[in-house]
Amino acid sequence: MIETKTECCTIYSEDVEDAVVLEGSPGVGLIGNIVGWLLVEDLKMREIGYIDSKYFPPLAVLYRGVAIHPFRIYEGEGIVLFLSDFILPPAVVYDMTNAIVEWMERNRSHELITFNSMVVREKSQPVAGAGNSQDVIQRLADLGIPIVPFGNLNGISGTLLTRCAVRDIPASCLFAEILNPYPDPRAAAAVVDVLNSMLGTSIDPEPLLQEAQAIESRLKKLAETVQGEVETPIYM
């Protein structure tokens, strides 16, 4: 493995040249994390490294009973995935982003795509996009992806877009529309459909739709149970 060091973190990873880089980390609705895990399973991606920092929370992730690093790097079918299972401390984001972009520049990565979400009162479009250049915006528009015209993009997604722009690396962010801050597999499935259009892949979103249906069924049963209960009287 090759080390890519900054003040706050170190990337330990094999080099993979000429890849498309994806970034998935937990946020509102857990879109990036859900999409990332689906990619690992569907593409049978190989773990090639991880990011380490003393500023990370003290945890390990259990995957099929095995403890794995909470911020891993995967590779498969010309795609490299940076996948985190915890919310990144803001103090680490800038240095970590520079390390990721340095890794991309060394490996001549084609582009970066990161995932995020936006909470709406009513869904009008499954997925919207933003980019770090007019060329990226035009590509998204040509694919029929609505563009987010204004707003702030916080955290690692926003920093990746700006740091990639400094190095002339095309970068875009796909936003899933969600109605509440809870995990939303159905919204993540919509992001996968758009990703397939962008990359020419055939990642199957069906597992996410099945998971969404199961969650919705449980919520419906819970609502029916609550509605059927007699209200507890309020005593003054």
Side-chain angles (χ1 to χ4, degrees), residues 27-31 117 119 178-184:
V28 180
L30 295 182
I31 301 302
S117 62
V119 180
I178 60 176
L179 300 176
N180 54 60
Y182 306 117
D184 192 335

Side-chain angles (χ1 to χ4, degrees), residues 16-22 43 45 74-81 103 109-111 199 201:
V16 179
E17 296 185 350
D18 303 318
V20 173
V21 174
L22 309 180
L43 299 179
M45 302 184 85
Y74 295 92
E75 175 272 333
E77 297 190 15
I79 296 172
V80 170
L81 169 67
W103 185 96
S109 302
H110 293 302
E111 66 173 313
L199 303 183
T201 51

Side-chain angles (χ1 to χ4, degrees), residues 4-11 92 95-96 98-100 102:
T4 307
K5 289 187 176 182
T6 64
E7 182 179 348
C8 292
C9 69
T10 303
I11 298 178
V92 181
D95 273 350
M96 176 183 295
N98 280 328
I100 292 173
E102 181 182 332

Side-chain angles (χ1 to χ4, degrees), residues 93-125:
V93 169
Y94 181 80
D95 273 350
M96 176 183 295
T97 301
N98 280 328
I100 292 173
V101 174
E102 181 182 332
W103 185 96
M104 292 178 62
E105 191 171 44
R106 184 174 70 243
N107 284 281
R108 298 188 296 275
S109 302
H110 293 302
E111 66 173 313
L112 177 132
I113 303 172
T114 180
F115 309 111
N116 215 302
S117 62
M118 49 187 177
V119 180
V120 296
R121 293 184 178 180
E122 183 177 353
K123 292 187 178 184
S124 59
Q125 55 205 21

Side-chain angles (χ1 to χ4, degrees), residues 6-234:
T6 64
E7 182 179 348
C8 292
C9 69
T10 303
I11 298 178
Y12 300 91
S13 174
E14 299 175 22
D15 276 342
V16 179
E17 296 185 350
D18 303 318
V20 173
V21 174
L22 309 180
E23 183 277 324
S25 56
V28 180
L30 295 182
I31 301 302
N33 200 249
I34 294 172
V35 171
W37 273 110
L38 177 69
L39 292 172
V40 171
E41 295 286 343
D42 189 90
L43 299 179
K44 296 178 173 56
M45 302 184 85
R46 178 176 65 96
E47 185 175 342
I48 61 168
Y50 60 93
I51 303 180
D52 197 21
S53 171
K54 64 181 181 181
Y55 299 103
F56 286 175
L59 64 90
V61 176
L62 295 179
Y63 179 58
R64 297 177 177 172
V66 177
I68 58 177
H69 199 279
F71 199 135
R72 301 164 308 286
I73 307 169
Y74 295 92
E75 175 272 333
E77 297 190 15
I79 296 172
V80 170
L81 169 67
F82 287 78
L83 179 61
S84 167
D85 283 301
F86 61 94
I87 297 175
L88 296 171
V92 181
V93 169
Y94 181 80
D95 273 350
M96 176 183 295
T97 301
N98 280 328
I100 292 173
V101 174
E102 181 182 332
W103 185 96
M104 292 178 62
E105 191 171 44
R106 184 174 70 243
N107 284 281
R108 298 188 296 275
S109 302
H110 293 302
E111 66 173 313
L112 177 132
I113 303 172
T114 180
F115 309 111
N116 215 302
S117 62
M118 49 187 177
V119 180
V120 296
R121 293 184 178 180
E122 183 177 353
K123 292 187 178 184
S124 59
Q125 55 205 21
V127 179
N132 67 349
S133 71
Q134 286 300 320
D135 288 342
V136 173
I137 293 298
Q138 188 60 54
R139 179 193 176 198
L140 295 174
D142 290 344
L143 290 169
I145 302 170
I147 305 302
V148 179
F150 301 103
N152 295 332
L153 180 53
N154 299 322
I156 189 170
S157 290
T159 310
L160 277 171
L161 261 61
T162 55
R163 300 314 297 169
C164 281
V166 171
R167 306 290 184 95
D168 292 323
I169 299 173
S172 55
C173 181
L174 299 179
F175 298 87
E177 284 193 345
I178 60 176
L179 300 176
N180 54 60
Y182 306 117
D184 192 335
R186 192 178 298 279
V191 171
V192 172
D193 285 334
V194 173
L195 191 63
N196 282 332
S197 297
M198 292 182 69
L199 303 183
T201 51
S202 54
I203 302 159
D204 184 11
E206 185 60 30
L208 298 184
L209 297 175
Q210 292 176 1
E211 184 178 350
Q213 188 173 3
I215 291 173
E216 291 160 0
S217 178
R218 289 196 296 270
L219 291 175
K220 182 179 179 181
K221 289 180 180 178
L222 177 61
E224 291 172 350
T225 301
V226 172
Q227 290 173 0
E229 292 178 351
V230 177
E231 283 191 7
T232 303
I234 300 175

